[in-house]
Amino acid sequence: MPAYVLVQIEVTDPATYEEYKKLTPGSLVPYEGRFVVRGGKTEALEGDWQPSRLVMLEFPSVERAKAWWNSPEYAKAKSMRQQAANTQMLVVEGFEG
């Protein structure tokens, strides 16, 4: 079953975050991950949710998503992101209907 990693990001160090963005795509490849949304324009349809940056990744399973997040391939990029932004991240099972 597919899984999605949803990330709400408030960038606090734009220069470091730009470097992070360069490192992340290659880290996804071994885990069959891909960007679905990567910081595109958002518009609230209901409520007052106004994320400054929103990212969505797709993986073949929750296990693959978690393996990527804990991987050596992502470790350097993850550390950079954690230094350059305030982040809220979750993994959610997809729907096969």
Side-chain angles (χ1 to χ4, degrees), residues 40-53:
K41 182 181 174 195
T42 63
E43 179 181 346
L45 298 177
E46 290 189 29
D48 61 359
W49 189 22
Q50 300 290 327
S52 59
R53 182 172 178 81

Side-chain angles (χ1 to χ4, degrees), residues 25-74:
S27 74
L28 296 168
V29 173
Y31 302 91
E32 303 172 81
R34 70 178 189 96
F35 287 101
V36 177
V37 173
R38 192 174 190 196
K41 182 181 174 195
T42 63
E43 179 181 346
L45 298 177
E46 290 189 29
D48 61 359
W49 189 22
Q50 300 290 327
S52 59
R53 182 172 178 81
L54 190 66
V55 174
M56 183 185 322
L57 303 159
E58 180 181 45
F59 291 87
S61 67
V62 167
E63 292 75 24
R64 297 295 281 168
K66 290 167 67 176
W68 164 75
W69 187 82
N70 285 304
S71 72
E73 292 89 352
Y74 185 53

